[in-house]
Amino acid sequence: MIRDKVGIQPGGVMSGIDDITLVAYVDGELDPATCAEVETLLADSEELREKVRGLRESTALVRAAFNHALYGGAMPEFDTGRAGIVPFRETVAESGAGRGDRAISPGATGKPRRWVWRRWPSALPLAASLAALVIGATLGHYFTERSIDSELRNAGFILSSQDQLAIQTALTQGLEKELSGTRVTWANPDTGHGGEIVPIRTFQAENGQYCREFLDVRRITGSTQDHGGIACRSADGVWKVRVRYLPENGGV
Amino acid sequence: MVGLLPRLRRFAYGLSGSLDEADDLVQSTFERALSHIDQWQIGTRLDSWMYRILHSIRINRLKSENLRTKKRDDSDPDEQIGGDSAREIEAKLTLEAVRLFIWKLPEEQRAILLLIVVEGVSYKEASDLLGVPIGTVTSRLARARLAIKDFVEMKGTQ
């Protein structure tokens, strides 16, 4: 596509490809012939492959970096009265209000954040249908603990046992000790993975157990996967995850 | 048109570094788009046209702002790195570091980077939309991408 503008430079073997071509290759913007040439050079050079890998990885980060701006924000004013438009601004506090939980204080800083849980449209009906969950019914796109793990694995989210331990620790701490809206972060320096657990709200199930809905956000080699879940506390103080579910749009 | 709002907001946020400023840019973009809708050619892409409007509003604001002061809007508390405890900084997302790095890039590189990488606009479209030659697009893009790659790798080895 941009074959007239970029190309393989004649000359040194290592510097055989200029950065512009390499970036265009990563973006899929090269015409097939140039693309094939690049791939030939790549096959011969570990250094080049490493560079492409680095470009791809950092590109994935850039791609994801601004996504939270997709959610939230005011509608353009002249549109607010129009029928059929869902308001974009919906805060944690709003969705958690009046549910027997304390006012949710979003974020550790205590400053109001424009966290928007529009991605979690199932949250409210979910709490309402907890009775059904407690007796063990599985619904639609909800997952059991095991099946969400395979979901995540399929998406490339492979966790080490240390990661899993760190998540479990954060989960236990968050559920047992933290107010809804508080983030409990975990990080594993060995794998570079990290994430956070955020309790969203608390309620009592029909059998008298206390249950909490939570978010589980995992950041694994540059991509982010978040999902929700509900855990209930047994009489002996053990939090057991009853259900996990993916956001309806499939995540970030 | 309203369906474009989230993406326009993301682009505006990427350009300006502030969600408030982004909302303001989006609002102005919609106002201008609606009042100039006759200038949109049916058959061309509405999203490109609106990105273009947003970008030109942004550039005009930068120009008039530069006349007054060189102050940068860091008013969004979510985006500030200062004032956090050490633990929080440690736990900060790589994504946040990437954002901060991108906001330090020259405006021209940033606009191209955001359009192509984040918004998925093609090189050709970006060139048309920004009114710069495609050779300029590719070289600025490569410069930004290599800088980010080096930055990410440097962070990764820390």
Side-chain angles (χ1 to χ4, degrees):
Chain A
M1 185 184 243
I2 52 167
R3 116 187 46 188
D4 298 335
K5 305 295 174 189
V6 297
I8 310 286
Q9 287 180 342
V13 179
M14 268 334 295
S15 57
I17 305 180
D18 62 89
D19 291 342
I20 292 175
T21 311
L22 211 56
V23 168
Y25 169 74
V26 168
D27 288 337
E29 287 265 358
L30 292 178
D31 61 274
T34 317
C35 189
E37 282 177 69
V38 171
E39 274 166 2
T40 311
L41 288 169
L42 277 174
D44 287 341
S45 164
E46 172 62 31
E47 193 184 326
L48 269 184
R49 286 199 296 276
E50 186 60 22
K51 200 165 175 180
V52 166
R53 195 194 51 76
L55 276 171
R56 289 217 161 102
E57 242 177 59
S58 56
T59 298
L61 287 174
V62 174
R63 198 165 285 144
F66 300 95
N67 275 351
H68 61 282
L70 287 173
Y71 311 100
M75 292 301 290
E77 278 180 8
F78 37 80
D79 276 321
T80 47
R82 224 157 95 182
I85 294 168
V86 184
F88 276 75
R89 201 184 295 265
E90 183 191 335
T91 65
V92 184
E94 278 160 16
S95 65
R99 302 229 139 233
D101 202 358
R102 275 221 258 159
I104 288 165
S105 54
T109 58
K111 299 227 176 189
R113 273 174 197 248
R114 266 188 278 175
W115 277 18
V116 178
W117 303 115
R118 202 164 164 272
R119 283 179 291 160
W120 302 90
S122 57
L124 285 174
L126 206 108
S129 65
L130 192 84
L133 293 173
V134 168
I135 58 167
T138 335
L139 304 166
H141 58 282
Y142 303 149
F143 292 85
T144 62
E145 180 98 85
R146 182 174 295 176
S147 69
I148 198 142
D149 279 341
S150 65
E151 280 283 322
L152 296 180
R153 240 192 322 277
N154 290 342
F157 287 83
I158 299 160
L159 296 168
S160 73
S161 55
Q162 283 172 309
D163 291 335
Q164 286 168 0
L165 186 67
I167 293 172
Q168 191 54 49
T169 309
L171 187 63
T172 307
Q173 191 206 325
L175 294 175
E176 184 70 26
K177 299 209 171 118
E178 301 293 352
L179 269 182
S180 294
T182 310
R183 300 200 234 180
V184 180
T185 56
W186 63 272
N188 181 353
D190 291 338
T191 55
H193 300 163
E196 62 204 32
I197 301 286
V198 189
I200 307 173
R201 67 174 140 258
T202 313
F203 49 89
Q204 200 167 10
E206 280 187 351
N207 64 4
Q209 280 192 333
Y210 281 97
C211 302
R212 300 192 82 178
E213 195 174 349
F214 62 89
L215 294 185
D216 181 339
V217 181
R218 302 171 182 193
R219 283 179 285 273
I220 301 196
T221 49
S223 46
T224 302
Q225 215 289 334
D226 49 1
H227 63 268
I230 292 178
C232 296
R233 189 178 192 273
S234 63
D236 55 355
V238 177
W239 285 95
K240 195 165 165 38
V241 176
R242 307 305 297 257
V243 65
R244 289 177 185 263
Y245 54 90
L246 290 172
E248 274 177 6
N249 63 5
V252 178
Chain B
M1 190 184 261
V2 170
L4 295 174
L5 188 143
R7 287 161 58 207
L8 287 168
R9 185 171 190 258
R10 176 173 62 183
F11 181 47
Y13 174 55
L15 283 177
S16 68
S18 146
L19 287 170
D20 287 339
E21 175 71 16
D23 285 337
D24 206 48
L25 279 168
V26 169
Q27 171 73 30
S28 304
T29 303
F30 273 79
E31 281 167 9
R32 193 183 292 182
L34 287 186
S35 58
H36 295 79
I37 193 70
D38 53 304
Q39 290 172 11
W40 175 57
Q41 292 165 346
I42 295 174
T44 64
R45 295 184 55 151
L46 184 63
D47 54 353
S48 298
W49 184 63
M50 293 194 67
Y51 282 135
R52 179 191 311 196
I53 293 174
L54 194 151
H55 182 254
S56 72
I57 292 173
R58 161 80 178 159
I59 293 299
N60 286 336
R61 285 192 187 173
L62 277 185
K63 278 181 194 153
S64 55
E65 194 173 302
N66 278 345
L67 292 181
R68 288 199 305 272
T69 163
K70 291 204 82 181
K71 179 178 153 285
R72 193 180 141 79
D73 183 4
D74 281 332
S75 62
D76 190 336
D78 280 4
E79 306 310 329
Q80 282 184 354
I81 218 171
D84 283 319
S85 71
R87 195 177 59 84
E88 276 175 313
I89 288 177
E90 212 168 289
K92 269 204 193 305
L93 322 189
T94 322
L95 289 186
E96 176 145 20
V98 170
R99 277 199 294 278
L100 292 171
F101 186 83
I102 289 172
W103 286 328
K104 286 188 199 131
L105 290 174
E107 181 83 16
E108 315 82 57
Q109 282 185 34
R110 182 162 59 245
I112 289 168
L113 178 81
L114 291 170
L115 279 174
I116 290 172
V117 175
V118 182
E119 304 304 328
V121 165
S122 74
Y123 286 13
K124 174 75 169 56
E125 280 174 298
S127 152
D128 293 346
L129 194 157
L130 298 171
V132 295
I134 197 155
T136 311
V137 169
T138 55
S139 64
R140 283 179 186 165
L141 179 69
R143 214 170 307 145
R145 293 279 273 283
L146 264 297
I148 294 165
K149 169 185 161 295
D150 291 345
F151 170 73
V152 168
E153 285 170 356
M154 188 262 293
K155 290 287 281 187
T157 56
Q158 267 176 3

